[in-house]
Amino acid sequence: MSGPRTLRNFVGGDYADTAEQRTYDLVDPVSEEVFAKAPLSREHDVDAALRAAADAFETWRDSTPAERQLALFRIAEDIERRAEEFVKVESENTGKPLGLTMSEEIPMALDAVRFFAGAARVLEGRSAGEYMAGHTSWIRREPVGVCGQVTPWNYPMLMAVWKWAPAIAAGNTVVLKPSDTTPASTLLTAEILAEHLPPGVFNVVCGDRDTGRALVAHPVPQMVSITGSVRAGTEVATAAAADLKRTHLELGGKAPVIVFDDADPAKAAAAIAEAGYFNAGQDCTAATRVLAGPGVHDDFLGALVEEAKGTVTGPPDEDVLYGPLNNADQFTKVSGFVDRLPGHAEVLTGGRRARDRGYFYSPTVVSGLRQSDEIVQNEVFGPVITVQRFSDEDEAVAWANGVEYGLASSVWTTDHGRALRVSRRLDFGCVWINCHIPLVAEMPHGGFKHSGHGKDLSMYGFDDYTRIKHVMSNHEE
């Protein structure tokens, strides 16, 4: 039997060894066994990738929007053609269900690539004009340069697409560091991009936090984009400030889900359970913090518990809603939140390991919580839904906004006026009404407060990867 395969960085259009040739183990979260070894990149390796990206930028920046669009369309075609291979690699690395990864993540990834392919040709700006006598001004929108990017382990393939597609469409070059636990699908992506892009436009360096620190601290990148925890975002912002780099931070969330008394408790519970437990709750927009009105609370809570009991977790080849937590540390973190619950809280279902092997955690519902409780204030990032009873609209909004995060939220009501009123008052980058978690490429995704700044998706996300230059011409010269 062959041992674990060894992955390699992707630099300058081909696979590359690291200078020290050190590796670390990648663990299958389903079996808890090592399935591959990944390179542990250090400063020399990061420098080589960034130099390749800088060299490529000198010519890629001059490519036309039509050329970039065509390349991205062809990349999307190849990803679609090799979709089953992507799903297999992603599932092996994360434990995600095969069927749901194919039906949910592949279409979203393809749609994002194709959206940004189109966006490359429709950049907008003010028309040229004479704003001073004898002078004509116009605006140039240019690529930023070399972009350092860091992606998380919850959606390795999809989050990478949200990073590299707009950057490359805008004429930038990229060095991307995937999460240390999930680099496999990003390296497969690099193979496909290399077939359609000049060498060095897209590079991948694997490694740990020190690898990411080297990427951020290096003088070459003009912009650093990260999707990750608040801790990671704060560290990136601090390091980038030393060199005045632009930052794009999509960080954690603690999405409030406000269920008013006029909502249908059974329908709301079914939709919220799916949005809370999908991907094992490992989503910064997950519907895991419910605030229920006094008249609907008990019926909703009962329905939610039944939904949780009917939710199945298991291996990727079975008919399940979600697979394991990503890694041993995350399993310990999620378990710790539940183990440390205060005496007034009650676990109504779940709250334990779901299988003897693998990092599976059971669908969990917790009630009786107070606004100041740790599990209400902090991101669990697991299949744990909390429920609080509010007294009126003002208290619901105050509790919803009473966390350090500001990424996503939802309002459940049949009262149109209330829906609009509350959506205005919620301090979150996204507010869904009578739904939770649908995303479309045309609309921005990003938060406020400790959830970071900058937008993924949409033309707003595309604009983040460009810079504005004013050019003025004197008519007399």
Side-chain angles (χ1 to χ4, degrees), residues 246-372:
R246 295 173 61 166
T247 58
H248 182 285
L249 310 175
E250 202 280 273
L251 310 178
K254 192 67 180 176
V257 181
I258 306 177
V259 182
F260 285 98
D261 286 345
D262 59 349
D264 184 312
K267 288 183 179 179
I272 291 166
E274 183 174 5
Y277 296 134
F278 188 84
N279 200 38
Q282 297 172 125
D283 190 317
C284 47
T285 63
T288 55
R289 182 168 66 105
V290 178
L291 310 174
V296 77
H297 176 274
D298 292 351
D299 288 342
F300 171 83
L301 189 58
L304 181 63
V305 169
E306 291 306 309
E307 291 289 343
K309 290 179 178 178
T311 299
V312 181
T313 179
D317 56 349
E318 295 184 6
D319 185 16
V320 299
L321 179 66
Y322 69 88
L325 295 169
N326 181 260
N327 53 74
D329 288 344
Q330 186 61 19
F331 184 90
T332 298
K333 177 186 175 184
V334 173
S335 301
F337 272 103
V338 177
D339 293 343
R340 293 189 302 272
L341 284 171
H344 55 262
E346 182 179 4
V347 177
L348 300 179
T349 187
R352 60 185 181 278
R353 178 184 286 272
R355 288 172 171 254
D356 294 335
R357 192 178 192 185
Y359 307 129
F360 296 95
Y361 201 82
S362 59
T364 302
V365 177
V366 183
S367 67
L369 293 160
R370 299 170 184 168
Q371 181 68 10
S372 60

Side-chain angles (χ1 to χ4, degrees), residues 96-112:
K96 291 174 181 283
L98 294 166
L100 283 176
T101 304
M102 177 65 80
S103 65
E104 299 295 327
E105 296 191 34
I106 292 293
M108 286 187 68
L110 294 173
D111 189 55

Side-chain angles (χ1 to χ4, degrees), residues 425-469:
R425 298 176 67 190
L426 287 172
D427 196 13
F428 294 83
C430 176
V431 182
W432 288 291
I433 298 174
N434 294 324
C435 59
H436 194 104
I437 228 166
L439 296 167
V440 292
E442 293 85 353
M443 291 292 112
H445 175 73
F448 309 144
K449 301 190 293 186
H450 282 202
S451 290
H453 57 257
K455 300 295 182 183
D456 288 323
L457 301 176
S458 79
M459 291 303 295
Y460 298 100
F462 188 47
D463 288 349
D464 283 352
Y465 287 95
T466 67
R467 66 184 189 181
I468 303 299
K469 178 185 289 183

Side-chain angles (χ1 to χ4, degrees), residues 22 63 70 111 119 164 179 194 245 290 309 331 379 393 450:
R22 296 169 59 192
S63 60
L70 182 60
D111 189 55
W164 60 256
S179 168
K245 289 184 175 70
V290 178
K309 290 179 178 178
F331 184 90
E379 186 174 37
E393 182 180 308
H450 282 202

Side-chain angles (χ1 to χ4, degrees), residues 43-267:
E43 290 184 2
H44 177 84
D45 311 304
V46 172
D47 180 74
L50 286 167
R51 297 300 173 189
D55 290 344
F57 180 67
E58 293 305 311
T59 54
W60 183 245
R61 67 189 300 175
D62 294 327
S63 60
T64 66
E67 289 170 337
R68 298 196 293 271
Q69 180 189 59
L70 182 60
L72 287 172
F73 277 146
R74 288 174 172 169
I75 288 167
E77 289 173 2
D78 277 1
I79 292 174
E80 188 169 30
R81 179 174 55 83
R82 298 175 66 176
E84 290 188 1
E85 184 180 359
F86 267 99
V87 169
K88 180 180 178 181
V89 169
E90 188 82 337
S91 180
E92 180 183 37
N93 206 169
T94 64
K96 291 174 181 283
L98 294 166
L100 283 176
T101 304
M102 177 65 80
S103 65
E104 299 295 327
E105 296 191 34
I106 292 293
M108 286 187 68
L110 294 173
D111 189 55
V113 176
R114 287 166 175 152
F115 172 83
F116 286 115
R121 300 184 70 169
V122 292
L123 277 174
E124 296 180 355
R126 293 182 178 178
S127 61
E130 288 66 52
Y131 302 97
M132 177 182 290
H135 298 74
T136 296
S137 290
W138 63 93
I139 298 295
R140 289 183 55 86
R141 188 179 290 273
E142 301 177 340
V144 174
V146 177
C147 298
Q149 301 181 328
V150 180
T151 53
W153 45 253
N154 58 334
Y155 293 100
M157 175 184 64
L158 187 59
M159 295 296 97
V161 167
W162 288 12
K163 294 270 186 266
W164 60 256
I168 289 172
N172 302 287
T173 57
V174 171
V175 175
L176 190 151
K177 191 202 87 67
S179 168
D180 57 337
T181 65
T182 56
S185 61
T186 306
L187 291 168
L188 179 58
T189 300
E191 285 185 18
I192 290 179
L193 267 63
E195 296 177 10
H196 303 286
L197 300 173
V201 171
F202 183 70
N203 309 272
V204 179
V205 290
C206 302
D208 57 10
R209 290 179 182 177
D210 287 340
T211 312
R213 292 183 180 111
L215 177 61
V216 177
H218 199 284
V220 165
Q222 297 299 300
M223 175 181 179
V224 178
S225 174
I226 178 175
T227 297
S229 67
V230 174
R231 176 208 55 77
T234 300
E235 188 171 321
V236 166
T238 300
D243 200 26
L244 296 179
K245 289 184 175 70
R246 295 173 61 166
T247 58
H248 182 285
L249 310 175
E250 202 280 273
L251 310 178
K254 192 67 180 176
V257 181
I258 306 177
V259 182
F260 285 98
D261 286 345
D262 59 349
D264 184 312
K267 288 183 179 179

